[in-house]
Each structure stands twice: as structure tokens, then as C-alpha cells.
Amino acid sequence: MGYETKLWLVVVFLLSATYMQCFCVVGVPEVPCLFIFGDSLSDPGNNNKLATESKVNFLPYGIDFPDGPTGRFNNGRTSVDILTQTLGFEKFIPPFANTSGSDILQGVNYASGSAGILKDSGQHMGVHVSFGSQIHNHKAILSEITKKLGGPDQAQQHLNKCLYYVNIGNNDYLNNYFMPEHYPSSSKYSPDKYASVLIQEYATHLKELHAVGARKFSLFGLGTIGCVPQEILTHGKEGSPLCIEEETSAAFIFNQKLIDLVDRFNDELPDSKFISVNAKVTITKDLKSLPSPGVFDSVCCKVGPLGLCDPKKEAETCRNRKEYLFFDAIHPTEMVNEVGAKNAYNSPYPNYAHPMDISHLVKL
């Protein structure tokens, strides 16, 4: 089981090169606006000016990004950057921390590195913007949108057509539940109970978004967090499977509850549509038939104690970045993000997205 879980990332992200084509018509977005909520997997620089260890506005981060280091936690574009392009937007959605000169009618990115569904998750690293606070920031932006469009009715009509992208929850495990030296959650809750606590809080926040006009929701499940290099380094045991099965199993409990939440909200809120992406994946292919996954046992840059790239060792960053799954010890490379974004848009096989993928959601 450990070997299969270890290669889950390979299956998810590298299974089908046929999905690497671009589905977009740049300049003609499939939705008028995109609002983004999440953690470091989606953060475009919202943490840059915060008092936190979770910020990466320095090289080698951004080494493959057109503007260099922006605060994105990898070598280039994030998954939602690539999805933004796939949907046909000419520019990336701006960070909430810097919307000056940007067209907020096309959307805002509120994601914050180390943020979680729970307010406490990730706080040992310093200041961040939790999911609840991201929604508070969104409400402030909505006030500006209402003014721009001439009233609440016009704003509601606009927002009803927008795509709401939510990718959060990893830090509630990596930087909370499986960090007992900082948080008591694992001693208070079983994995099943903890997932229920998270989903309950998640549901409350989603209802807040619905109340202010959100109607199209793409919710991303958690990955094989037990296969993250930093987790293997800090929690792995000699002689045990490479991946931390306990962590991945706990994340998959959350994923199943997320699917259940999607089904419930689609029944309770018929004026909206919710989908879960990448939340129920099983290995059905012969692993030996996969193309070479490249270097997935190591990371592309030299990292410090927190698993982030060490700027003092920038020169030691790998050159063959397209052959690595992880850029630092926590975050995937742009190559992985590209495949993941394309698969989220156009599901490569059943159960990757439930009950539909993003390409169908945006057409509703």
C-alpha cells in the first residue's frame, strides 16, 4: 500500500500527457471573474509583507516565472495561475494585498501561505490570513464591486457568474493535526472526528460566500500529504514505508467528507453548483506502464528547517526542474501544477472531479 500511495502523485499528475493541450481562448474568459481562496499552493504574494516565516518573495522561487519572485511558493506558476490562463484570462488574478491598478471585476486572489480552514492552523509560523479572514477580505472587495457596478443588484448578477476556487485544508493537517508539539488537536480528536470538525467549519464559510453571491464553487481535496518530502523527513521511520500512511489516510477521510458536503449542498442550494476536484482518486493502472516520473524522491532546491528553499543556496537549485515533482520540500513544481490544472479543468478519468469537472461547471 505504501508504494501505491507514494506514486499517487505520479498517477494524478503524470498519467496523461494528452491533457496538456490548452483549452483556452485567451482574451475571451469562460467566466467573467475568478475569486481564489486557499493556502501556499495558491498564494501569489499575499504574505510578502506579513510577519511570517511563510513567505517566499526571493530567488530561487519564481526562477521560471516571467516576473521573477512574486511570493509564489514554487519555481513558476501555481495551479490556479494555469487554470486562469486555461479559462481565457489575459492576466493572472491579482493578490488581495496588491489590487492597485487591477480590474477587481475579473477577480481577486485571497490565498495565504500557511493558512487553513481553522484559524489556529499554521500560526506557529507567524501571521497569515485564515479562510475566515479571506472571506472577510472578499466582502471588502464586494463593496468596491458594488460601487463600480452601480448597486447591489448589478453586483449580484455579476458575482453569480463567477467561479469560486477554494483549495485549502492541507495546513489543518501538516501544520496542526500532525504537529502535536504546537497543537493539541490530535489528542482531542480521532482522524474521523477531526475531519468532521474541519468540514463543519468549511461549510460555514462556504455558506458565507453563498450569502454574498457565490454560485459556482470548485472545491479541491487534499493530496497524499504523507508523501510530502518534509513530512517524510520529519515523521518518517527507518524501515517503514516511504510515505506516512497515517497522514495520507487522514487526508482521504477529509476528502470523502468533502464529497459528501458537495452532494449535500447541491441538494440544499439548488441555485448553486458545487464540485469537488481530485478528492477521490484510486490507482487502476499498472504502475509499471507509467512514463518515467523523473525525480520524485528529492527536491529541486536546497531547503532549510521549514522545508522552504534557502536563498543563500540559490546557486544550487536544480536545472532540470521539469523532472522534479517537488520544488522545495513542500510545494510541487510548475510542471506538476500544469498537469494538475489541466486535469481539474478537463477530468482525465471518472472520479477525478465530482460530479463534474471545471470545464462543465463554468458552462452552467
Side-chain angles (χ1 to χ4, degrees), residues 300 317-322 324:
C300 195
T317 303
C318 71
R319 295 185 179 182
N320 52 335
R321 291 180 286 277
K322 290 187 178 181
Y324 281 72

Side-chain angles (χ1 to χ4, degrees), residues 138-330:
H138 180 56
K139 291 177 180 178
I141 289 292
L142 295 189
S143 296
E144 296 182 37
I145 289 176
T146 298
K147 293 176 183 177
K148 284 178 175 290
L149 294 179
D153 291 341
Q154 294 89 330
Q156 284 290 307
Q157 292 175 12
H158 181 71
L159 296 171
N160 288 172
K161 301 173 184 177
C162 300
L163 177 63
Y164 282 71
Y165 176 106
V166 186
N167 189 351
I168 200 165
N170 289 290
N171 286 309
D172 295 291
Y173 288 92
L174 299 180
N175 288 308
N176 189 324
Y177 194 73
F178 290 113
M179 198 168 276
E181 65 272 27
H182 290 289
Y183 306 94
S185 53
S186 60
S187 62
K188 293 171 59 178
Y189 304 110
S190 67
D192 186 79
K193 179 60 178 178
Y194 186 64
S196 295
V197 169
L198 292 179
I199 289 294
Q200 183 176 358
E201 184 74 6
Y202 202 153
T204 298
H205 292 320
L206 293 177
K207 286 183 178 179
E208 283 188 77
L209 289 174
H210 178 269
V212 295
R215 294 296 180 268
K216 296 181 180 181
F217 295 83
S218 59
L219 314 178
F220 282 70
L222 310 184
T224 50
I225 60 175
C227 296
V228 171
Q230 183 70 1
E231 293 305 294
I232 296 171
L233 176 66
T234 56
H235 298 148
K237 297 179 181 179
E238 187 175 353
S240 63
L242 185 57
C243 294
I244 314 300
E245 292 296 317
E246 177 189 3
E247 297 191 8
T248 295
S249 295
F252 284 0
I253 292 172
F254 173 88
N255 287 350
Q256 183 56 56
K257 291 182 184 295
L258 180 64
I259 293 173
D260 296 339
L261 178 66
V262 162
D263 289 339
R264 176 161 67 88
F265 273 179
N266 281 331
D267 287 337
E268 294 179 359
L269 303 171
D271 63 341
S272 303
K273 193 65 179 181
F274 294 77
I275 69 169
S276 60
V277 179
N278 195 15
K280 188 177 182 181
V281 178
T282 57
I283 296 177
T284 58
K285 301 287 185 180
D286 180 0
L287 295 177
K288 294 181 181 179
S289 69
L290 291 172
S292 174
V295 183
F296 58 85
D297 286 336
S298 58
V299 300
C300 195
C301 69
K302 299 296 181 180
V303 301
L306 295 177
L308 300 177
C309 298
D310 185 344
K312 296 179 181 179
K313 298 182 179 180
E314 173 202 338
E316 299 181 50
T317 303
C318 71
R319 295 185 179 182
N320 52 335
R321 291 180 286 277
K322 290 187 178 181
E323 296 181 15
Y324 281 72
L325 292 187
F326 288 92
F327 185 61
D328 59 21
I330 303 169

Side-chain angles (χ1 to χ4, degrees), residues 3-5 7-8 10-12 14-16 18-19 281-291 348-350:
Y3 179 70
E4 289 185 342
T5 303
L7 289 186
W8 180 87
V10 181
V11 174
V12 171
L14 303 177
L15 184 60
S16 55
T18 57
Y19 290 90
V281 178
T282 57
I283 296 177
T284 58
K285 301 287 185 180
D286 180 0
L287 295 177
K288 294 181 181 179
S289 69
L290 291 172
Y349 45 85

